[in-house]
Amino acid sequence: MANHKSSIKRTRSNDAKRVRNRYQAKTARTAIKSIRSAKTKAEAGKDLSKVVSMLDKLAKKNVIHRNKAANLKSSLTRHVSKLK
């Protein structure tokens, strides 16, 4: 258990940030799955910009690595462009 007020507060804030980060990362993963399961280019294309924005925000906050965000954006863009 923490001994100082500041470390108690830090533990509380870390827990809140962890929950928020997990929620945002899970939301992005779900959105990625919806793009990959889309059957038409129109369906996937309208969600692509939202997902790219999500990935950029997660990378900026260091929830995911910036290279992982770049790889995901690249693969999703290629996937959408191959759809009919």
Side-chain angles (χ1 to χ4, degrees), residues 21 24 50-64 69 73:
N21 289 341
Q24 290 173 345
K50 292 178 186 174
V51 172
V52 167
S53 175
M54 280 184 196
L55 292 173
D56 286 336
K57 287 177 187 174
L58 290 175
K60 184 179 181 182
K61 296 179 198 173
N62 291 322
V63 176
I64 62 173
K73 290 189 295 186

Side-chain angles (χ1 to χ4, degrees), residues 19-68:
V19 170
R20 188 180 321 118
N21 289 341
R22 285 176 57 97
Y23 171 77
Q24 290 173 345
K26 181 63 178 174
T27 304
R29 283 197 304 269
T30 305
I32 289 169
K33 287 176 190 173
S34 71
I35 288 179
R36 287 200 174 128
S37 66
K39 301 294 182 191
T40 65
K41 190 178 236 181
E43 286 178 36
K46 67 180 181 181
D47 293 337
L48 183 62
S49 63
K50 292 178 186 174
V51 172
V52 167
S53 175
M54 280 184 196
L55 292 173
D56 286 336
K57 287 177 187 174
L58 290 175
K60 184 179 181 182
K61 296 179 198 173
N62 291 322
V63 176
I64 62 173
H65 195 272
R66 61 187 170 89
N67 290 351
K68 178 176 179 150

Side-chain angles (χ1 to χ4, degrees), residues 1-14:
M1 183 62 197
N3 292 322
H4 299 284
K5 277 189 175 183
S6 62
S7 60
I8 292 170
K9 180 179 178 182
R10 178 59 52 203
T11 303
R12 267 199 329 264
S13 65
N14 284 343

